Amino acid sequence: MAAKSIISRPVYGTLSPQPGKHHLFIADAEGALAISDMAGRAPAGFFDGAEIDFIPGPGGKHIAALEALKPAQFHQAPSFASLLPRLKQTLANAHMGLRLYLAGTEGLIGQAMQVALEAGIDHTSIQTEHRGSLARRMQCVHCKGITENVTTQPATCAHCGLLLLVRDHYSRRVAAFQGVCINAEDRSEIPPMEEIFR
């Protein structure tokens, strides 16, 4: 867990059913478990006005569990990029009082939060719960490229190839942790990579 002094670090809660008629759930992989757990605390008929957009990942686990909740709409997408047009359209057409629930990896939560805030969704209408991998979405501060699913410290930028220290500083603007060159003074100094964000 990151030090409490890093104020940019996102803080996640636990999904809980909120009053309202319109509920939008965005989840990936293990995020489905957060929705299923919340469903056990939800009143009867809660999912009648709900939409679940799910990125199952390899193996397609948890699809049946989410479909069993009988949401008004259920959609699957292979990636966040493929879900993005639908999410933008849904948020553009959203009614006042929409409740947004984001569950899963930090990459999904951060990107979906960014889109929701850009669409004018009030942050108090958004709940988040982290489930699954601790892999990070990282932005190289040197080339501005984004590298997905970073699990090592340090990590190599997928765009410029620099060896980066993955900082705990999180940019909400780009929905990514910041990576800074770890060996800028002497490129021959290459610290060992450790897998720490699993």
Side-chain angles (χ1 to χ4, degrees):
M1 198 67 183
K4 292 186 188 292
S5 63
I6 301 173
I7 59 174
S8 69
R9 184 92 167 92
V11 176
Y12 305 109
T14 301
L15 298 186
S16 63
Q18 299 298 303
K21 293 180 182 176
H22 306 286
H23 305 277
L24 174 60
F25 294 85
I26 309 294
D28 65 358
E30 304 303 314
L33 298 175
I35 297 171
S36 295
D37 288 351
M38 190 208 80
R41 300 183 303 275
F46 181 81
F47 285 91
D48 292 349
E51 176 180 330
I52 298 175
D53 293 337
F54 183 53
I55 304 166
K61 291 175 22 181
H62 312 299
I63 294 169
L66 293 178
E67 287 177 328
L69 298 175
K70 296 186 176 18
Q73 296 183 56
F74 179 78
H75 301 279
Q76 294 179 61
S79 65
F80 186 79
S82 64
L83 174 65
L84 190 56
R86 176 181 184 76
L87 177 57
K88 286 183 175 182
Q89 184 67 35
T90 299
L91 294 174
N93 295 328
H95 295 282
M96 181 70 96
L98 172 74
R99 301 297 185 188
L100 180 60
Y101 305 82
L102 309 175
T105 61
E106 284 189 308
L108 170 105
I109 293 171
Q111 292 175 87
M113 176 78 74
Q114 181 183 41
V115 172
L117 295 174
E118 287 173 1
I121 302 298
D122 183 26
H123 74 281
T124 61
S125 297
I126 305 172
Q127 289 192 27
T128 59
E129 183 172 338
H130 180 265
R131 292 276 184 114
S133 172
L134 296 175
R136 293 184 170 187
R137 184 170 195 262
M138 175 188 71
Q139 180 193 42
C140 174
V141 300
H142 307 284
C143 76
K144 306 303 181 204
I146 299 287
T147 303
E148 302 285 351
N149 299 316
V150 171
T151 60
T152 62
Q153 181 71 288
T156 302
C157 175
H159 301 272
C160 68
L162 287 177
L163 191 60
L164 305 174
L165 170 70
V166 185
R167 299 191 57 225
D168 279 333
H169 174 71
Y170 183 83
S171 168
R172 285 177 175 78
R173 185 180 62 78
V174 295
F177 288 91
Q178 301 299 284
V180 63
C181 186
I182 197 167
N183 58 357
E185 298 289 324
D186 182 358
R187 296 285 166 86
S188 67
E189 286 184 24
I190 301 175
M193 282 190 179
E194 295 180 57
E195 191 163 332
I196 60 173
F197 311 116
R198 294 178 211 217

